[in-house]
Amino acid sequence: MSETHIKLINYNLSGQFMTHMTISMVAGLIMAMPYIFWQMWQFIKPALYEQERRYARIAVFIMSALFIVGVLFSYFFMVPWTLNFLGTYQVSTLVENQIALSSYISTVISVILSVGATFELPVVIFVLAKVGIITPRIPYK
């Protein structure tokens, strides 16, 4: 993939400081997700039977791992492709792209968190299938 040189601009007095704070908070949220999953588990655990607890423990581990893998995949693959596409997309050669720093950071954060959440879908589908809400069978009409 070719290198894209995007020129970022900041037009707010506190823009760079607030961007640094936003990045720090999102990074903290991403690193805290395994602990957040663990806390949700601690809340739900007393209401479960022993067999359900065993499955839930495994699910917490898998959900944490899938989220981290999704974030890493997004950061190293999806974000560069997204920035390359959006940074070089032009409606006309008369229109020059000048990307605001806040727009750049919000796009990166959105892509990272949405791909991280998307990597959770296998666990969601598995749980819905176990509960019986969805089935692999295709209904015929």
Side-chain angles (χ1 to χ4, degrees):
M1 180 167 53
S2 64
E3 278 291 314
T4 303
H5 298 286
I6 298 174
K7 180 180 179 182
L8 298 176
I9 59 171
N10 177 45
Y11 52 85
N12 291 326
L13 180 61
S14 63
Q16 291 190 40
F17 175 75
M18 292 308 294
T19 298
H20 192 228
M21 297 304 288
T22 302
I23 291 170
S24 298
M25 289 168 81
V26 170
L29 175 69
I30 289 170
M31 289 189 293
M33 284 310 288
Y35 182 73
I36 292 169
F37 289 143
W38 178 254
Q39 286 299 314
M40 290 189 312
W41 157 246
Q42 291 298 317
F43 178 74
I44 295 170
K45 185 170 95 171
L48 301 175
Y49 295 113
E50 187 56 39
Q51 184 178 4
E52 294 169 330
R53 288 181 188 177
R54 189 174 65 236
Y55 291 135
R57 235 180 264 127
I58 294 167
V60 167
F61 174 75
I62 291 172
M63 288 175 64
S64 299
L66 286 174
F67 183 78
I68 297 300
V69 168
V71 166
L72 292 173
F73 175 79
S74 176
Y75 183 77
F76 290 109
F77 295 104
M78 297 301 294
V79 168
W81 292 338
T82 301
L83 294 177
N84 185 37
F85 174 75
L86 295 176
T88 59
Y89 184 84
Q90 287 185 312
V91 174
S92 169
T93 56
L94 300 174
V95 180
E96 181 184 347
N97 288 336
Q98 291 186 341
I99 291 59
L101 179 61
S102 60
S103 173
Y104 177 87
I105 294 302
S106 69
T107 300
V108 170
I109 289 171
S110 297
V111 169
I112 287 174
L113 291 179
S114 62
V115 172
T118 301
F119 270 57
E120 300 288 322
L121 283 178
V123 174
V124 172
I125 297 299
F126 178 77
V127 169
L128 292 176
K130 281 292 188 186
V131 173
I133 295 175
I134 61 172
T135 64
R137 194 180 76 221
I138 299 173
Y140 295 102
K141 292 186 179 186

